[in-house]
């Protein structure tokens, strides 16, 4: 199905019109924690196959948005709709996190959450196995289908690890990998669930320039080769500007701008949100947490 | 939760300790020294004079004025010194010998890892030893082996699934043992109420497993969402309910008087055989159960199920976000543990023939838990050893100390063990790594901490 979003529908008065197949859409999502409103009627429209960046100052509500999309938080108001490429419309609001993952929305975490005592391979296998069917009885009895599932998950995990370039470290513990490798392992784990939408929460935070370049290339590859729509939170403006198709800006839980990277960069509201720092230079304190 | 605090890659315990500015006296070496001194004191008391009721300081005076404490202290200090200061040279020598062409250690290890058939052969040999070695023992030890060691080992491998693998603190584990025992009594017609038809004890096992599974699901489904301590309290309550029910519903369970005349195991298929009062055949039967369950559970540990359990234990939020159905896997662990406990219950009831609610005290749950932790949570060989050793220990202490004091020494051993070696005698690799990371502070514990506010599913 194709949903047209014309410019008058898009808040923030974007000059460009967003047309295409919406994969993820939120309407009026509002999330409060006691007195704090972390998300205030957030409207998100994500096209299938695009790389959409979510930027904003610290505490703007970016991670809260991710948590709401993946079922970790349940917003008090609003609608979250996921339109699967396989057909079918699903409401993600209040969905259990594992159901969201099964539907095809995978994520990584801002504060890396790997299974530290398991090897890189095992970390990815866990994700791959959530798509396979082999119950405890067939495993205990060593039935062929249990063995087949084990082989399949092994294959998948190897494939994903080499995809992100970690195949040489597959037997190292998740917790002992370098920072950049941990981030990539998280991406491999997310990819092993064959997602349609991948949510990356500050994947470049704490990585060095080389790792950043590799990451940029990896995100592009995931997007073009695997056809995964990517929603990206990132403080590194250089990365955002070079990789994102569109950018959405949050401030105090509200969407203040949306559009092509160059336009957003020039938007006065965005400049103000970033405390008057000239957008042509380094607009945000990079990777600051 | 969204604190943004990020983990750093670990650089070994020594380096992290140095980075944190830990003072020399905070080195684990000194706590281990204290532990060794404590062990020396306990050994002195176990091997020395025993106390009398009239003079409570009698034994202390006798034991600690003679040469005995010095002997033990010397031995323990020797062990400590070798371990702390000479372990590096020893390791170096060993490594050098391993590096040389095909020394025995490396060869054995290579064989063990490389060839599946050799592994199977060795395990079969171990089972054979376990089966035939007791034939040389006295009848008293046969009884201990069956009524206590084998039963507790069964319970421990069941509880290991729940706490060691899935990481759920279950303090009501023995309730399922009781349910298994009463199922056996019911289906063999030993209860005041008559069953619709009587079953052979072997057929009671699947029925009891099913009963425990259902009981486990009924208890688990609404409560497994709870975390850590809360689940412990819920299971504690469940144990109390089962215990009091068994005690007070006299028309059904026989009440505090208990149940008698539970039938023995028997086979009647072409040939017939009945397990009677002789403990050895029972021992072999239970050994069979244990071997079978260990075999099945070992497959689980390194399968997707075992991995999912580890993921849930380490970081429930990440596991759920990765697509692991956390409730389903926890329920699975709970049900598998409960049914193992049920099997142990059937075996126990059929062996002793007579039991009452006092056979299922809360203490039994706590003891099984202690055995699992002592042996090494999550490790099957560890748990087998832990249960067997700690059940055996009080029995053998009978010959050395006042029988009433036996559990005191067991308690002392547990205290020392938890200080000195919290991971257990034979820990699982995964658990050991987790513990190491936790003490180094490279794992944040927020998987178990609820976020500061808001609705979180
Ligand atoms: N579990 C929670 N409990 C209470 N308040 C929360 C919770 N999660 C988020 N918040 C609040 O919501 C607001 C948005 O936080 P969020 O983590 O979404 O910001 P962010 O845009 O991801 O910031 P950063 O760039 O620092 O990661 C903050 O004011 C934060 O304190
Ligand atoms: Mg954030």
């Amino acid at each position: 199905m194709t949903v047209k979003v014309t410019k008058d529908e898009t808040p923030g008065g974007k000059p460009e019109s967003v047309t295409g197949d919406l994969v993820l859409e939120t309407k009026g999502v509002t999330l409060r924690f006691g007195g704090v409103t972390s998300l205030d009627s957030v409207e998100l429209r994500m096209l299938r196959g695009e790389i959409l960046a979510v930027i904003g100052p610290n505490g703007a509500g970016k991670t809260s948005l991710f948590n709401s999309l993946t079922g970790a938080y349940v917003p008090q108001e609003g609608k979250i709709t996921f339109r699967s490429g396989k057909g079918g419309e699903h409401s993600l609001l209040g969905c259990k996190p594992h159901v969201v993952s099964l539907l095809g929305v995978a994520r990584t975490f801002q504060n890396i959450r790997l299974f530290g005592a398991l090897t890189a391979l095992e970390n990815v296998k866990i994700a791959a196995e959530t798509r396979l069917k082999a119950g405890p009885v067939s495993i205990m009895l060593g039935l062929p289908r249990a063995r087949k599932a084990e082989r399949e998950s092994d294959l998948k995990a190897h494939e994903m690890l080499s995809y992100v370039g970690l195949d040489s470290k597959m037997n190292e513990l998740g917790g002992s990998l370098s920072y950049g490798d941990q981030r990539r392992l998280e991406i491999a784990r997310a990819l092993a669930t064959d997602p349609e939408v991948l949510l990356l929460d500050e994947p470049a935070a704490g990585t060095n320039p080389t790792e950043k370049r590799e990451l940029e290339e990896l995100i592009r590859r995931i997007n073009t080769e695997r056809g995964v729509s990517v929603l990206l939170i990132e403080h590194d403006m250089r990365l955002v500007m070079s990789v994102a198709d569109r950018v959405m800006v949050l401030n105090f839980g509200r969407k203040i701008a949306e559009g092509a990277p160059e336009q957003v960069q020039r938007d006065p509201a965005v400049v103000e949100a970033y405390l008057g720092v000239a957008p042509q230079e380094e607009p945000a304190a990079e990777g600051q947490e | 939760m969204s604190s943004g605090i990020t983990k750093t890659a670990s650089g070994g315990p020594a380096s992290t300790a140095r980075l944190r500015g830990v003072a020399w006296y905070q080195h684990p070496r000194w706590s281990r020294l204290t532990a060794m001194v404590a062990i020396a004191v306990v050994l002195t008391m176990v091997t020395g004079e025993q106390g009398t009721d009239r003079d409570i300081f009698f034994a202390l005076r006798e034991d600690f004025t003679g040469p005995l404490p010095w002997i033990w202290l010397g031995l323990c200090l020797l062990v400590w010194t070798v371990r702390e200061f000479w372990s590096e040279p020893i390791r170096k020598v060993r490594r050098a010998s391993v590096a040389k062409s095909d020394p025995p250690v490396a060869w054995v290890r290579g064989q063990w890892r490389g060839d599946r058939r050799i592994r199977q052969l060795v395990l079969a040999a171990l089972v054979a030893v376990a089966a035939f070695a007791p034939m040389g023992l006295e009848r008293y030890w046969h009884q201990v082996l069956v009524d206590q060691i084998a039963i507790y080992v069964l319970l421990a491998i069941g509880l290991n699934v729940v706490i060691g693998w899935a990481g759920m603190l279950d303090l009501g584990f023995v309730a399922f043992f009781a349910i298994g025992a009463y199922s056996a009594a019911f289906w063999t017609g030993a209860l005041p109420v008559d069953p619709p038809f009587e079953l052979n004890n072997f057929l009671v096992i699947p029925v009891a497993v099913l009963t425990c599974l259902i009981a486990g699901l009924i208890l688990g489904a609404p409560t497994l969402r709870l975390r850590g301590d809360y689940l412990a309290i819920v299971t504690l309550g469940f144990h109390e309910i089962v215990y009091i029910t068994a005690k007070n519903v006299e028309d059904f369970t026989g009440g505090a008087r208990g149940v008698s005349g539970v039938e023995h195991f028997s086979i009647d298929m072409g040939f017939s055989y009945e397990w009677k009062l002789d403990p050895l055949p029972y021992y072999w039967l239970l050994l069979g159960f244990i071997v079978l369950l260990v075999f099945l559970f070992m497959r689980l540990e390194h399968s997707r199920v075992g991995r999912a359990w580890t993921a849930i234990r380490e970081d429930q939020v990440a596991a759920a976000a990765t697509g692991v159905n956390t409730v389903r896997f926890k329920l699975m662990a709970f049900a598998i543990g409960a049914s193992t406990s049920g099997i142990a219950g059937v075996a126990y009831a059929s062996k002793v023939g007579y039991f009452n609610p006092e056979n299922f005290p809360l203490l039994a749950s706590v003891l099984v838990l202690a055995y699992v932790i002592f042996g090494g949570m999550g490790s099957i060989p560890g748990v087998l050893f832990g249960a067997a050793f700690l059940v055996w220990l009080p029995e053998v202490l009978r010959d050395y100390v006042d029988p009433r004091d036996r559990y005191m020494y067991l308690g002392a051993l547990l205290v020392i063990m938890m200080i000195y070696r919290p991971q257990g005698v034979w820990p699982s690799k995964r658990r050991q790594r987790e513990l190491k990371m936790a003490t180094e502070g490279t794992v944040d514990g927020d998987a178990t901490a609820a976020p500061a506010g808001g609705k979180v599913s």
Side-chain angles (χ1 to χ4, degrees), chain A residues 54-87:
Chain A
V54 181
I55 62 169
N58 290 123
K62 307 179 294 293
T63 302
S64 300
L65 178 65
F66 269 29
N67 284 344
S68 305
L69 291 174
T70 54
Y73 290 169
V74 186
Q76 282 85 354
E77 289 162 35
K79 272 195 201 135
I80 303 174
T81 316
F82 168 63
R83 293 190 184 84
S84 168
K86 299 179 198 104

Side-chain angles (χ1 to χ4, degrees), chain B residues 132-194:
Chain B
F132 295 113
M135 290 171 86
L137 296 172
E138 296 158 34
R139 196 185 157 90
Y140 170 75
W141 285 105
H142 292 165
Q143 293 286 8
V144 171
L145 260 178
V146 180
D147 293 357
Q148 300 195 45
I149 295 184
I151 295 287
Y152 272 111
V153 162
L154 261 181
L155 285 174
I157 51 180
L159 186 61
N160 178 50
V161 174
V162 185
I163 185 165
W165 289 344
M168 297 183 291
L169 188 48
D170 182 356
L171 289 181
F173 196 63
V174 161
F176 298 107
F177 183 56
I179 291 174
Y182 278 100
S183 300
F186 176 70
W187 290 102
T188 58
L191 287 188
V193 282
D194 286 327

Side-chain angles (χ1 to χ4, degrees), chain A residues 33 36-38 56-65 67 73 110 201-202 233 235 288-289, chain B residues 1-2 451-454 456:
Chain A
F33 291 104
V36 185
T37 306
S38 354
N58 290 123
K62 307 179 294 293
T63 302
S64 300
L65 178 65
N67 284 344
Y73 290 169
Q110 180 174 353
D201 198 342
E202 302 196 17
I233 296 181
H235 279 299
Q288 225 177 54
E289 278 166 24
Chain B
M1 190 154 176
S2 53
V456 174

Side-chain angles (χ1 to χ4, degrees), chain A residues 240-247 259-266:
Chain A
V240 168
M241 293 305 153
S242 79
V243 86
D245 298 321
R246 288 192 308 129
V247 178
E262 316 81 54
Q263 286 163 353
V264 166
Q265 222 169 355
R266 272 183 260 115

